[in-house]
Amino acid sequence: PSESGLGDWSFSNTGSRSNPGSGGNGGGFCQIGDGTGISYAYAPSRFLGNWFPLIGLASMTIDLRRLSSSGDPLVVSEFIRLSGPGGTAVVAMPAGDLPPVGRVWRSYSFPLEAASWTVTAGTWDALLANVTECRLQLEFAGSTETVGFDNFGRLAPGCAPLDLPVVVHASDVELCDHFGFAGISTVALNPADGLLYGLVDLASSSGGGLWALAGDIAGTRLAAFAQPTGLLFDAAGNAFVSEDYGGEIFRFALDSGTSLWVSGFHSGDDDPCGLCFAPAGFDGPNVDPGDILVTDCGSGGADEVWAFSAAVAENERQVMPHTGDRDFRDITAGDTGEVYLAGTIDPTTVSLLAPDGARTTLSLATPIAGMIGIAYDGVMDALYVIATGDSSLRRIDPTTGAVTLVADGFAGFNNCGIDIDSAGRRLWVADYGAGRVYEFCLASGSAAGDFGPAAGASLLAGLSAWPNPARTAVGVRFALRAETEARLEVYDLAGRLVRRLLADRLPAGERSLNWDGRDAAGRRVASGLYLLRLSAGEEVRSARVVILR
């Protein structure tokens, strides 16, 4: 049909159908409203024809989002149906695999092999020799519903994932994962549960607030906020959220809800933005180690840094007075007492804040326009910044000011859209323009066989899996620098524990074991992406492994 933005797709039994242009995974998507009967979409002719060469090699992929839904769930035994002169085959959509209603995009992959499909007529080989129709059922509830789909395709070996514009340029950084979440602007790791959370920077009536991005409650809005900007978790799992436009800071606890924590700094325009904890040794007239530091980004008012207590409300103190327009959007702390400020006005420097409020600058070897988020890597002693000037992720050497382009191709950033798990060697970037979160795996900086006795060195020296992708068993190799209690677990993308492979006290050295691709109940896991998580003491490392069935 000639419907705007939907190409050559055709439909039956649908109501409204459109491409909103945003809110997809990422960019635009096909949005369908209920009609009369079961709603179907039919793939264009370019997806049809001879699929036989792809048998056992390629997979069908699709992303789904349920924008609204009411009524009892339907049994979807024919989520995708392939038809042709040689037969018919279907693949079902288990009700428990549907994304929650709201902002979450969930990706699905169905290998083109007979074991993953139900052949209802003819034979598998004869069907794939001439596929004349590919039909999607896009109705999952018995009453009214609005459903979106995106990134439908067939991926043969070696094909890049669909709609993945981000390019990694640094040889020691890998793009490990990405997922869609409409409106995501800020991300932060909660150390209490090890899961990722985020902010949607919209009016509270339009979905603005704190959202769970992983775990059993992924896709749930935990608290409503109006244009929330900065997000920080303490060790107990309490979230601190700044409202840039409102000039206030809130504390959210799962057991007690939301409390107004800082009602404002002074009369006039307050714009609280980035948040971080004051590091050890950061002891000044108006700040103590463990306080929370917050930037007032100065939009229409003073450009300052304040401190407040994570334990006592309304305890704000000015650390750095206004020293000229810098437009500091984010703040991060190093391991040995440094505090760094990222601003959007001066592309040639990153500022260092002293406990007495004095500010010095680190000159950058290469200008970075529009630094809007910053995170410190304690393992490699490096700064990562996201910049709006060219929508890039860059790394800064805090000693020399040398700048490395890590990745580019993002659609656009919002304030504070970056966080890091230094010990776990993971870094997250919220691509606000695309409605997507990217996870990068970082180099550890040490070889697996290097077990030096240096005080304070990391206990974990490496974690790898092979083959990857794997069809059956996965070999896992890791190394320990010293004798320690270690635990190795497998999680799915929703953050659910799939299998505990190891929990024991181990000597220093390298160790290898196998995961047979089964869960704790002995069942074969489905095709998809899984997280290997190795922990020892307070340290965590992770690796991704793809299972193909």
Side-chain angles (χ1 to χ4, degrees):
S2 58
E3 297 176 65
S4 176
L6 298 181
D8 296 326
W9 283 83
S10 57
F11 307 89
S12 65
N13 302 332
T14 59
S16 62
R17 42 194 190 244
S18 64
N19 183 342
S22 63
N25 184 24
F29 67 103
C30 179
Q31 179 174 304
I32 292 176
D34 270 341
T36 302
I38 301 297
S39 299
Y40 295 109
Y42 300 86
S45 59
R46 66 181 179 274
F47 288 104
L48 309 179
N50 183 11
W51 291 21
F52 191 84
L54 301 177
I55 292 178
L57 297 174
S59 296
M60 296 191 67
T61 64
I62 186 172
D63 299 338
L64 282 183
R65 177 185 171 196
R66 291 196 296 161
L67 287 78
S68 64
S69 182
S70 62
D72 295 330
L74 299 178
V75 175
V76 185
S77 57
E78 296 188 3
F79 173 47
I80 302 178
R81 189 184 73 176
L82 303 178
S83 303
T88 304
V90 300
V91 66
M93 169 62 75
D97 286 351
L98 285 171
V101 176
R103 297 180 170 271
V104 174
W105 281 95
R106 183 163 291 176
S107 299
Y108 303 85
S109 178
F110 303 100
L112 287 175
E113 54 185 29
S116 300
W117 296 71
T118 300
V119 178
T120 58
T123 67
W124 177 251
D125 288 359
L127 164 63
L128 265 64
N130 185 14
V131 176
T132 57
E133 182 183 87
C134 176
R135 188 186 75 180
L136 313 179
Q137 177 174 328
L138 296 175
E139 189 151 351
F140 307 101
S143 188
T144 59
E145 190 173 31
T146 303
V147 173
F149 76 92
D150 201 358
N151 298 325
F152 178 80
R154 296 169 301 173
L155 293 185
C159 289
L162 297 172
D163 192 20
L164 189 59
V166 170
V167 178
V168 178
H169 298 276
S171 60
D172 57 349
V173 176
E174 179 184 358
L175 177 56
C176 296
D177 194 13
H178 66 277
F179 61 91
F181 196 95
I184 190 67
S185 60
T186 305
V187 288
L189 181 69
N190 183 348
D193 60 18
L195 299 177
L196 199 65
Y197 294 78
L199 299 178
V200 171
D201 184 6
L202 294 172
S204 58
S205 59
S206 299
L210 172 65
W211 293 75
L213 304 183
D216 292 338
I217 58 173
T220 302
R221 185 167 70 161
L222 303 176
F225 297 108
Q227 278 80 43
T229 304
L231 175 62
L232 181 70
F233 286 89
D234 63 18
N238 301 306
F240 294 87
V241 177
S242 62
E243 283 188 346
D244 182 3
Y245 293 95
E248 299 170 325
I249 300 172
F250 295 86
R251 176 182 180 270
F252 172 79
L254 281 173
D255 58 351
S256 57
T258 301
S259 304
L260 177 61
W261 209 250
V262 176
S263 57
F265 304 139
H266 47 48
S267 61
D269 184 45
D270 290 337
D271 300 285
C273 200
L275 305 160
C276 79
F277 284 102
F282 200 81
D283 195 350
N286 290 322
V287 61
D288 297 315
D291 281 343
I292 296 177
L293 297 168
V294 55
T295 63
D296 181 343
C297 66
S299 177
D303 207 350
E304 307 162 326
V305 175
W306 290 71
F308 63 92
S309 170
V312 181
E314 301 292 6
N315 188 239
E316 60 275 9
R317 291 147 274 138
Q318 188 184 68
V319 177
M320 185 193 80
H322 181 60
T323 57
D325 289 335
R326 311 295 296 184
D327 208 4
F328 292 125
R329 300 300 181 95
D330 206 1
I331 186 169
T332 192
D335 286 346
T336 56
E338 306 89 349
V339 171
Y340 302 92
L341 296 161
T344 58
I345 290 181
D346 183 0
T348 64
T349 64
V350 166
S351 291
L352 287 85
L353 179 66
D356 63 359
R359 183 177 60 84
T360 57
T361 57
L362 168 68
S363 296
L364 303 181
T366 304
I368 306 175
M371 289 177 283
I372 202 167
I374 188 168
Y376 176 76
D377 182 355
V379 172
M380 300 294 285
D381 185 28
L383 296 167
Y384 286 90
V385 296
I386 51 174
T388 59
D390 59 0
S391 296
S392 67
L393 168 66
R394 294 180 182 263
R395 183 169 58 212
I396 300 171
D397 185 325
T399 301
T400 67
V403 176
T404 300
L405 175 62
V406 176
D408 58 10
F410 302 94
F413 302 123
N414 205 347
N415 298 321
C416 314
I418 186 171
D419 197 21
I420 192 169
D421 173 15
S422 292
R425 310 310 297 141
R426 296 177 296 170
L427 180 139
W428 297 274
V429 172
D431 189 341
Y432 179 65
R436 182 178 276 175
V437 176
Y438 291 95
E439 179 177 338
F440 297 89
C441 293
L442 309 177
S444 64
S446 60
D450 177 14
F451 306 108
S458 172
L459 288 171
L460 306 178
L463 175 64
S464 60
W466 78 99
N468 196 4
R471 292 190 178 276
T472 53
V474 179
V476 183
R477 180 184 295 119
F478 62 91
L480 303 175
R481 293 181 180 273
E483 182 179 345
T484 184
E485 295 285 340
R487 188 168 60 191
L488 179 64
E489 297 168 319
V490 182
Y491 289 85
D492 63 16
L493 284 184
R496 295 181 291 253
L497 177 64
V498 174
R499 176 89 172 268
R500 180 166 293 162
L501 303 178
L502 173 72
D504 201 358
R505 187 167 188 86
L506 301 175
E510 294 186 351
R511 184 180 180 92
S512 298
L513 72 159
N514 287 330
W515 174 39
D516 60 6
R518 297 180 181 273
D519 64 15
R523 299 166 298 203
R524 296 177 67 194
V525 300
S527 296
L529 188 62
Y530 293 85
L531 171 69
L532 296 172
R533 184 179 175 91
L534 175 67
S535 57
E538 297 298 319
E539 297 181 43
V540 177
R541 289 189 187 274
S542 61
R544 293 293 191 266
V545 60
V546 176
I547 299 294
L548 297 177
R549 296 299 189 193

